Amino acid sequence: MEGVPEPHTGWTFLTNHARVLAAIADNHSARIRDIAAHCRLTERAVQKIISDLEQEGYLSHTREGRSNTYRIEPGKVLRHPAEAGLTVASLLSLLAQDEADRSRP
């Protein structure tokens, strides 16, 4: 099937929800297709993740013509008790720093 990314086997450090949130933080008007390609997920999986994030108040969107612009709630606290007090903004700042380091030659 064309356009479907190869599945990843084994465990990873980040959840797909964190990956999608980080991709949206990089580009608030990214298309679901682009997010899916970046995160190596299907478009359907990304739609479900965005829905999850919106239902829990981590994300909202505004329709602008044929596209969406997403808004992340930076002060929202992460869900797991082990991350008590850690906000979305602090998570994204760690991921953004990593992205900057990886893009250097």
Side-chain angles (χ1 to χ4, degrees):
M1 182 185 268
E2 194 172 322
V4 177
E6 292 181 28
H8 175 80
T9 57
W11 63 275
T12 64
F13 283 100
L14 296 177
T15 67
N16 290 337
H17 284 67
R19 282 189 192 92
V20 168
L21 197 61
I24 290 171
D26 286 342
N27 180 357
H28 290 272
S29 59
R31 298 178 306 169
I32 287 178
R33 173 180 298 172
D34 298 330
I35 296 168
H38 178 77
C39 297
R40 298 179 51 96
L41 299 168
T42 64
E43 290 179 35
R44 186 177 181 115
V46 171
Q47 287 173 332
K48 171 71 169 107
I49 290 168
I50 287 173
S51 175
D52 289 346
L53 293 170
E54 285 185 320
Q55 286 178 357
E56 294 297 322
Y58 290 93
L59 187 66
S60 61
H61 76 276
T62 304
R63 191 84 173 147
E64 295 183 4
R66 293 177 53 188
S67 61
N68 289 322
T69 299
Y70 297 97
R71 183 179 184 288
I72 294 171
E73 292 298 328
K76 186 89 170 156
V77 177
L78 300 182
R79 291 172 40 136
H80 197 280
E83 288 98 33
L86 187 63
T87 64
V88 169
S90 57
L91 172 67
L92 292 175
S93 71
L94 291 172
L95 296 175
Q97 181 179 356
D98 178 57
E99 282 293 319
D101 291 342
R102 286 196 307 169
S103 60
R104 288 187 196 137

